[in-house]
Amino acid sequence: MVAIARRYECDPEGLSERQVADFLIFLRGERKYAPSSMAQTIVALRTFFRDHLGHDWALWKTVRVRQCESLPWVLSREEVAAVIAAARRLRFRVLFTLIYHCGLRLGEAIRIAPRDIDAKAMRIHIRHAKGGKDRYVPVAAGMEAQLRAFWYQHYNQQWMFPGLGRGWKGLKITAEEAAKKSDHHISEAGVQIAFQRCVADSGIGKRATVHTLRHSYATHLLEAGIALPLISKYLGHSSIKTTVIYTHLTSVSEDKTREALEILHDGLRPQKP
């Protein structure tokens, strides 16, 4: 309350709703308060004026703090290749390749069933994705062949990436046999741990999670000239506004913009007589 008291040079208890609102505008506009600082100030003012003094102003319902949205991390194609190559187990190498190749969420990828892969149409059926929606994502022939070869090693009819379970080694069976008999998919926690090991072993020197592969997929498709609405469809976004963020992550888009600006600028040069 000290800051607002100094601002108006009076006891804060006598301030009006308009004065408190103007004080918040002053902090944001002139003092350049960060969103986190603004949020803390609003909580303090609301506690004092509403909870202590009983001023249940409309201000508390209308004032909002817009949080800064940080851009997601993206790996280059070379960095993606290095991380995937660092996978020590085939199941993780295939899984990471698939997530990057199709831009899948981790939860979507580990729940894929063999029946979801359509070799004729060259696409994968993603069932019950975020928001309960289904979608199809295209795959290249090489990816389909890699998935098929991997499945031939375990023949699990329920899961493309079956979990082995903690006690499978005590049963004195091979990993392939354990995978074939498994009734559950590979765990998200296990995949995340394996990915962090790959990132460390790859030497790329960047912070990255499994979800970074999805961000990289979208950015690399955009760089390759794939239309934004189509990328949004593949990612399963409910709004293209969510996909637009990837336009801020591609250097190719910036290069094309500079080329276009050069053309525009050249068109303004005086013509020789």
Side-chain angles (χ1 to χ4, degrees):
M1 293 303 104
V2 176
I4 196 170
R6 288 177 177 174
R7 173 69 176 170
Y8 291 107
E9 298 180 348
C10 67
D11 188 338
E13 291 190 13
L15 295 178
S16 66
E17 180 180 9
R18 181 69 262 175
Q19 288 174 308
V20 175
D22 288 343
F23 177 66
L24 291 174
I25 295 173
F26 162 74
L27 294 180
R28 187 69 187 92
E30 296 188 32
R31 297 289 298 276
K32 306 298 181 183
Y33 265 36
S36 58
S37 299
M38 286 298 298
Q40 292 174 4
T41 302
I42 291 171
V43 170
L45 291 174
R46 187 173 59 213
T47 300
F48 179 74
F49 286 100
R50 187 191 67 181
D51 301 343
H52 178 63
L53 297 180
H55 296 323
D56 193 16
W57 294 327
L59 173 66
W60 312 127
K61 298 178 181 179
T62 57
V63 67
R64 293 289 185 273
V65 177
R66 194 172 196 178
Q67 297 294 335
C68 295
E69 296 183 3
S70 57
L71 295 176
W73 285 87
V74 170
L75 303 179
S76 68
R77 290 172 175 79
E78 294 76 18
E79 289 169 336
V80 170
V83 171
I84 293 176
R88 302 174 185 178
R89 308 266 182 196
L90 177 62
R91 60 181 178 274
F92 292 126
R93 191 156 58 248
V94 176
L95 179 59
F96 297 153
T97 302
L98 177 65
I99 291 174
Y100 170 67
H101 184 81
C102 296
L104 303 180
R105 301 177 179 92
L106 174 54
E108 296 170 346
I110 62 177
R111 289 173 175 80
I112 290 176
R115 64 186 176 90
D116 295 331
I117 302 172
D118 189 338
K120 292 184 178 179
M122 298 303 295
R123 64 183 186 180
I124 298 178
H125 188 180
I126 308 300
R127 303 176 187 273
H128 309 298
K130 189 174 181 179
K133 298 179 180 179
D134 286 16
R135 73 181 189 279
Y136 290 96
V137 293
V139 293
M143 185 75 251
E144 189 277 330
Q146 188 176 4
L147 288 170
R148 184 169 4 99
F150 172 69
W151 184 73
Y152 283 162
Q153 293 196 11
H154 62 73
Y155 282 109
N156 188 294
Q157 299 298 313
Q158 185 176 3
W159 304 110
M160 192 70 214
F161 298 96
L164 300 181
R166 293 183 178 180
W168 70 272
K169 291 184 179 179
L171 300 176
K172 296 182 180 181
I173 59 176
T174 65
E176 290 74 17
E177 291 174 324
K180 182 178 181 179
K181 297 178 180 180
S182 178
D183 60 355
H184 59 277
H185 57 70
I186 195 171
S187 71
E188 291 194 22
V191 174
Q192 291 283 15
I193 292 173
F195 188 80
Q196 291 307 313
R197 289 175 180 169
C198 291
V199 172
D201 292 345
S202 69
I204 63 173
K206 283 187 177 180
R207 293 185 337 196
T209 65
V210 175
H211 206 68
T212 305
L213 296 176
R214 176 174 161 90
H215 294 317
S216 303
Y217 159 90
T219 304
H220 297 164
L221 279 189
L222 190 61
E223 290 177 344
I226 306 302
L228 200 62
L230 200 54
I231 297 175
S232 182
K233 176 184 176 182
Y234 294 155
L235 291 172
H237 286 164
S238 57
S239 171
I240 197 172
K241 293 180 180 179
T242 308
T243 321
V244 169
I245 190 173
Y246 296 110
T247 60
H248 300 287
L249 303 175
T250 167
S251 59
V252 173
S253 294
E254 293 182 0
D255 291 340
K256 289 183 178 180
T257 300
R258 293 189 189 96
E259 292 176 5
L261 290 175
E262 288 291 342
I263 294 173
L264 293 179
H265 183 265
D266 290 345
L268 297 177
R269 292 178 179 176
Q271 299 296 320
K272 294 182 180 180

Coordinates of all heavy atoms in Angstrom, one line a residue, residues 1 10 22 36 54 68 72 79 89 135 147 159 165 171 180 187 193 204 209-210 222 228 230 236 250 258 266:
M1 N 0.8 -1.2 0.0 CA 0.0 0.0 0.0 C 0.9 1.3 0.0 O 0.3 2.3 -0.2 CB -0.9 0.0 1.2 CG -2.0 -1.1 1.2 SD -3.0 -1.0 -0.3 CE -2.4 -2.4 -1.2
C10 N -2.0 10.4 0.1 CA -3.1 10.3 1.0 C -3.2 8.9 1.6 O -2.5 8.0 1.2 CB -4.4 10.7 0.4 SG -5.0 9.6 -0.9
D22 N -6.6 3.7 -12.2 CA -5.6 4.6 -12.8 C -4.2 4.2 -12.3 O -3.3 4.4 -13.1 CB -6.0 6.0 -12.5 CG -7.2 6.6 -13.3 OD1 -7.5 5.9 -14.3 OD2 -7.7 7.6 -12.9
S36 N 4.2 -10.6 -14.0 CA 4.2 -11.2 -12.7 C 4.1 -10.1 -11.6 O 3.4 -10.3 -10.6 CB 5.5 -12.0 -12.5 OG 6.7 -11.1 -12.7
G54 N -13.9 -4.0 2.2 CA -15.3 -4.4 1.8 C -15.7 -3.8 0.5 O -16.9 -3.7 0.1
C68 N 3.1 -13.3 -20.4 CA 4.0 -13.4 -21.6 C 4.1 -14.9 -22.0 O 4.3 -15.7 -21.1 CB 5.4 -12.9 -21.3 SG 5.4 -11.1 -20.9
P72 N 8.3 -22.0 -27.9 CA 8.8 -23.3 -27.6 C 10.2 -23.5 -28.2 O 10.6 -22.9 -29.2 CB 7.8 -24.2 -28.3 CG 7.2 -23.4 -29.4 CD 7.2 -22.0 -28.9
E79 N 20.0 -31.7 -35.4 CA 19.9 -32.0 -33.9 C 18.9 -33.1 -33.6 O 19.2 -33.9 -32.8 CB 19.6 -30.7 -33.2 CG 20.7 -29.7 -33.2 CD 20.3 -28.3 -32.7 OE1 19.0 -28.0 -32.8 OE2 21.1 -27.5 -32.2
R89 N 18.0 -48.1 -27.3 CA 17.1 -49.2 -27.5 C 16.3 -48.9 -28.8 O 15.9 -47.8 -29.1 CB 16.1 -49.3 -26.4 CG 16.8 -49.4 -25.0 CD 16.9 -50.8 -24.6 NE 17.5 -50.9 -23.3 CZ 18.1 -52.1 -22.8 NH1 18.1 -53.1 -23.6 NH2 18.6 -52.1 -21.6
R135 N -8.1 -38.0 -35.6 CA -7.5 -37.4 -36.9 C -6.6 -38.4 -37.6 O -6.2 -39.4 -37.0 CB -6.8 -36.1 -36.5 CG -5.4 -36.3 -35.9 CD -4.8 -35.0 -35.6 NE -3.4 -35.1 -35.1 CZ -3.0 -35.4 -33.9 NH1 -3.9 -35.5 -33.0 NH2 -1.7 -35.4 -33.6
L147 N 8.1 -49.0 -39.0 CA 7.1 -49.4 -38.0 C 6.8 -50.9 -38.2 O 6.7 -51.6 -37.2 CB 5.8 -48.6 -38.1 CG 5.9 -47.1 -37.6 CD1 4.7 -46.4 -38.0 CD2 6.1 -47.1 -36.1
W159 N -0.8 -53.3 -28.9 CA 0.0 -52.0 -28.9 C 1.2 -52.0 -29.9 O 1.8 -53.1 -30.0 CB 0.6 -51.8 -27.5 CG -0.5 -51.7 -26.4 CD1 -0.7 -52.6 -25.4 CD2 -1.5 -50.7 -26.2 NE1 -1.7 -52.3 -24.6 CE2 -2.2 -51.1 -25.1 CE3 -1.8 -49.5 -26.9 CZ2 -3.3 -50.3 -24.6 CZ3 -2.9 -48.8 -26.5 CH2 -3.6 -49.2 -25.3
G165 N 7.3 -54.1 -18.6 CA 7.0 -54.4 -17.2 C 8.3 -54.5 -16.5 O 9.4 -54.8 -17.0
L171 N 11.5 -63.4 -15.4 CA 10.8 -64.5 -16.0 C 11.6 -65.4 -17.0 O 11.2 -66.3 -17.5 CB 9.6 -64.0 -16.8 CG 8.5 -63.2 -16.0 CD1 7.5 -62.6 -16.9 CD2 7.9 -64.1 -14.9
K180 N 5.5 -59.1 -26.5 CA 4.4 -59.8 -27.2 C 3.3 -60.1 -26.2 O 2.1 -60.0 -26.5 CB 4.9 -61.1 -27.8 CG 3.8 -61.8 -28.6 CD 4.4 -63.1 -29.3 CE 3.3 -63.8 -30.1 NZ 3.9 -65.0 -30.7
S187 N 5.3 -46.7 -20.9 CA 4.9 -45.6 -20.0 C 5.5 -44.3 -20.5 O 6.6 -44.2 -21.0 CB 5.4 -45.9 -18.6 OG 6.8 -45.8 -18.5
I193 N 12.4 -40.2 -19.6 CA 13.7 -40.5 -19.1 C 14.7 -40.9 -20.2 O 15.8 -40.4 -20.3 CB 13.6 -41.6 -18.0 CG1 12.9 -41.0 -16.8 CG2 15.0 -42.0 -17.6 CD1 12.6 -42.1 -15.7
I204 N 24.0 -32.0 -28.1 CA 23.5 -30.8 -28.8 C 23.5 -29.6 -27.9 O 23.4 -28.5 -28.4 CB 22.0 -31.1 -29.3 CG1 21.1 -31.3 -28.2 CG2 22.0 -32.2 -30.3 CD1 19.6 -31.4 -28.6
T209 N 12.5 -31.6 -24.7 CA 11.7 -32.7 -24.2 C 11.2 -33.5 -25.4 O 11.4 -33.1 -26.5 CB 10.6 -32.2 -23.3 OG1 9.7 -31.4 -24.1 CG2 11.1 -31.3 -22.2
V210 N 10.4 -34.5 -25.1 CA 9.8 -35.3 -26.2 C 8.9 -34.4 -27.0 O 8.9 -34.5 -28.2 CB 9.0 -36.5 -25.7 CG1 8.3 -37.2 -26.8 CG2 10.0 -37.5 -25.0
L222 N 6.7 -26.2 -42.0 CA 6.5 -24.8 -42.5 C 7.6 -24.3 -43.3 O 7.4 -23.6 -44.3 CB 6.3 -23.9 -41.2 CG 5.8 -22.5 -41.5 CD1 4.4 -22.5 -42.1 CD2 5.7 -21.7 -40.2
L228 N 0.0 -23.5 -43.6 CA -0.3 -23.5 -42.2 C -1.6 -24.2 -41.8 O -1.6 -25.0 -40.8 CB -0.3 -22.0 -41.7 CG -0.1 -21.8 -40.2 CD1 1.3 -22.3 -39.8 CD2 -0.3 -20.3 -39.9
L230 N -2.9 -26.8 -43.1 CA -2.7 -28.2 -43.2 C -1.8 -28.7 -42.0 O -2.1 -29.8 -41.5 CB -2.0 -28.5 -44.5 CG -2.0 -30.0 -45.1 CD1 -3.5 -30.4 -45.1 CD2 -1.4 -30.1 -46.4
G236 N -3.6 -31.5 -35.0 CA -4.8 -31.7 -34.2 C -5.2 -30.4 -33.4 O -5.9 -30.5 -32.4
T250 N 10.7 -20.1 -37.5 CA 11.4 -20.6 -38.7 C 12.2 -19.5 -39.4 O 11.7 -18.4 -39.7 CB 10.4 -21.1 -39.8 OG1 11.0 -21.3 -41.0 CG2 9.2 -20.2 -39.9
R258 N 12.6 -11.3 -46.3 CA 13.7 -10.4 -46.7 C 13.8 -10.3 -48.2 O 14.0 -9.3 -48.8 CB 15.0 -10.8 -46.1 CG 15.1 -10.7 -44.6 CD 16.5 -10.9 -44.1 NE 16.5 -11.0 -42.6 CZ 16.5 -12.1 -42.0 NH1 16.5 -13.3 -42.6 NH2 16.6 -12.1 -40.6
D266 N 13.2 -2.6 -54.5 CA 13.7 -2.4 -55.8 C 12.7 -1.8 -56.7 O 13.0 -1.0 -57.6 CB 14.2 -3.7 -56.4 CG 15.5 -4.2 -55.7 OD1 16.1 -3.4 -55.0 OD2 15.8 -5.4 -55.9

